[in-house]
Amino acid sequence: MSKFLLKNGSGSLCCKGCGRQDNKLNTYDWLADIPGNAEEQDMVEVQFKNTRKGYYKNSNRLPLEKGDIVAVEASPGHDIGTVTLTGRLVPLQMKKANIKPDAEIRRVYRKAKPVDMEKYEEAKSREHNTMIRSRQIAADLGLQMKIGDVEYQGDGNKAIFYYIADERVDFRQLIKVLAEAFRVRIEMKQIGARQEAGRIGGIGPCGRELCCATWMTNFVSVSTSAARYQDISLNPQKLAGQCAKLKCCLNYEVDAYVECQKRLPSKELTLETLNGTYYYFKADILKGTITYSTDKSFLANEATITAKRAFEIINMNRRGEKPEKLEDIFRQDNARPKDLLEQESLTRFDKSKNSKNKKKKKAEAAPIEKSGNKPATQPVKEAQADKPKENRTRDNQPKEKNRPPQPKSNKNKDDVTIKAAEKQETAGESTEEKTQRPVRNNRNRNNRRPKNNNRNQDKEKNNSGQNTTGASEQGNTNHEE
């Protein structure tokens, strides 16, 4: 027994009640930590292969706990099983299994010894081959049956054959052939499809282990009316379980749906309004709302109202009155809480995938567009390079609208003096010189190479220096005059 100490040091937690979860019909013993629980009852629950269980009497008062392997009485010989429950819960389980008080109860011999375990492992190793060969024998005899599983007794003296058959089968000849073939005592047990699924086990569409393999022992018949009450589509692929029968869980909530459906109006009643006639389309039984349509065959002009509002309109129609609208104008709908985390959305994981796919497509399309524009622009640039600078026309120049705005440069004192000198120079020139001066093209000037720009700037600086000296001399002569 392993113990887990609490953080505050006030006691310990015992895991006696826990067992291996790979066993079918596992039971949690929530009374295992109570002192003296195992000594109050001498009955013990022992589990064998898959879902087969038995109840035995601990007449020798052995200190048994959950998980111990014991040898129990059988006919003939003995069998090997695992203790799954002790103490006060055993009588409750016996009552649940419909075991009568006057039934013969066998006893526990001892805890399993190494010799017992060797015989047990040897017998278990023959089960699969025995099942395959027995199926061939049944097919040769022409019997309409399916042998689903074979279980050997712990000492190997007896074998239990579990079979499924739709009709009554006369297997007397089969027993004789099997006894001669395997040299053991033969026992035949008929099981249903649900019991076979429980013995095999598996995972259901809900993501949990099958109910027939974990806790269900009594199988109640399930009909399609249970699906109709819950407004479930009658799709056999969705309604059937792994046993190819209707799911047992269809019966779990039928009573709740039947009670809620009594509070809704009949599907055959129509609602008359000034706008037209509304027919029943669908209903949310648990929420208590009904959706009506102006057409019987398909959804048109849908209107969803509560069951209370539907009964009000039905009573008005019986009195010969018709409301203006199907919805109640004065009724204020309570704000439905928003699912901010999108925990109720079935497509919450698909959205992230779609966004990632879109980003990938955009990233793949971008280099393709760039590579497609390159060959169209290269010949234009080559043609411009072949032409001389003076012959370049405005057609080859980029438009000013598409040009990015140029940042404003900081003005220096030298630039200010140069511009002032240029203004004085233009003011002193004659009109003839202005006409003879060629018109400046701002676009061509801006698109010149940086070498020519530097040469022009140097010339302008030299000319501005001469103009400034000339302007100062003219000012002095004027002052003297």
Side-chain angles (χ1 to χ4, degrees), residues 446-480:
N446 293 330
N447 291 324
R448 289 175 183 172
R449 292 185 179 181
K451 293 181 180 180
N452 297 332
N453 292 334
N454 295 332
R455 292 175 182 175
N456 294 331
Q457 288 178 3
D458 295 335
K459 291 179 181 180
E460 288 177 0
K461 287 181 181 180
N462 297 328
N463 295 330
S464 62
Q466 295 174 2
N467 292 331
T468 50
T469 53
S472 60
E473 291 176 356
Q474 289 179 2
N476 294 328
T477 53
N478 293 328
H479 182 67
E480 290 175 357

Side-chain angles (χ1 to χ4, degrees), residues 379-417:
V380 176
K381 292 182 179 179
E382 292 175 358
Q384 290 179 358
D386 296 334
K387 290 182 180 180
K389 299 177 184 178
E390 299 176 356
N391 295 332
R392 288 184 183 178
T393 58
R394 296 182 181 180
D395 297 334
N396 295 328
Q397 299 299 330
K399 296 182 180 180
E400 293 183 358
K401 293 182 180 179
N402 296 329
R403 292 172 59 190
Q406 297 178 356
K408 296 181 180 179
S409 59
N410 297 326
K411 295 181 179 181
N412 299 327
K413 293 182 180 180
D414 298 336
D415 298 337
V416 175
T417 56

Side-chain angles (χ1 to χ4, degrees), residues 57-70:
K57 190 173 183 178
N58 186 10
S59 57
N60 297 328
R61 294 289 179 179
L62 299 173
L64 299 178
E65 294 181 356
K66 187 171 184 177
D68 292 340
I69 301 175
V70 294

Side-chain angles (χ1 to χ4, degrees), residues 274-285:
L274 297 177
N275 297 333
T277 305
Y278 285 85
Y279 302 94
Y280 175 90
F281 187 76
K282 65 177 181 178
D284 191 339
I285 299 174

Side-chain angles (χ1 to χ4, degrees), residues 194-228:
R194 290 187 173 90
Q195 292 173 334
E196 184 188 20
R199 292 182 65 83
I200 297 173
I203 304 297
C206 59
R208 299 176 63 88
E209 292 187 53
L210 298 179
C211 298
C212 52
T214 52
W215 61 273
M216 184 179 287
T217 54
N218 298 326
F219 299 97
V220 184
S221 61
V222 184
S223 61
T224 55
S225 60
R228 291 193 183 95

Side-chain angles (χ1 to χ4, degrees), residues 238-411:
K238 293 184 178 180
L239 296 181
Q242 295 188 6
C243 57
K245 304 290 183 182
L246 292 176
K247 295 178 183 177
C248 298
C249 54
L250 291 175
N251 285 340
Y252 295 168
E253 299 179 352
V254 172
D255 297 336
Y257 275 89
V258 170
E259 290 295 327
C260 293
Q261 206 165 22
K262 292 179 180 178
R263 304 168 190 171
L264 301 179
S266 176
K267 300 179 181 180
E268 299 176 356
L269 295 176
T270 59
L271 304 183
E272 299 289 340
T273 62
L274 297 177
N275 297 333
T277 305
Y278 285 85
Y279 302 94
Y280 175 90
F281 187 76
K282 65 177 181 178
D284 191 339
I285 299 174
L286 298 179
K287 191 178 179 181
T289 57
I290 312 167
T291 301
Y292 286 92
S293 173
T294 55
D295 195 285
K296 290 183 179 181
S297 57
F298 58 90
L299 185 62
N301 300 325
E302 61 172 333
T304 304
I305 59 175
T306 60
K308 184 178 179 181
R309 176 61 179 170
F311 281 116
E312 290 178 359
I313 298 174
I314 291 170
N315 294 329
M316 292 174 66
N317 293 337
R318 289 176 180 174
R319 295 193 301 266
E321 301 176 0
K322 294 182 179 181
E324 295 181 0
K325 294 183 179 181
L326 203 63
E327 295 90 351
D328 190 359
I329 301 173
F330 302 100
R331 183 175 63 85
Q332 294 181 355
D333 294 332
N334 295 327
R336 192 174 181 182
K338 295 182 179 179
D339 186 17
L340 299 177
L341 300 178
E342 294 185 353
Q343 294 178 353
E344 298 177 0
S345 176
L346 297 177
T347 59
R348 59 183 182 272
F349 299 113
D350 298 339
K351 294 179 181 178
S352 59
K353 292 180 181 178
N354 293 333
S355 62
K356 290 180 180 178
N357 292 334
K358 289 180 181 177
K359 290 180 180 178
K360 289 181 180 179
K361 289 180 181 178
K362 289 182 179 178
E364 291 175 358
I368 294 171
E369 292 178 357
K370 292 180 180 178
S371 62
N373 293 332
K374 280 182 180 180
T377 56
Q378 283 177 358
V380 176
K381 292 182 179 179
E382 292 175 358
Q384 290 179 358
D386 296 334
K387 290 182 180 180
K389 299 177 184 178
E390 299 176 356
N391 295 332
R392 288 184 183 178
T393 58
R394 296 182 181 180
D395 297 334
N396 295 328
Q397 299 299 330
K399 296 182 180 180
E400 293 183 358
K401 293 182 180 179
N402 296 329
R403 292 172 59 190
Q406 297 178 356
K408 296 181 180 179
S409 59
N410 297 326
K411 295 181 179 181

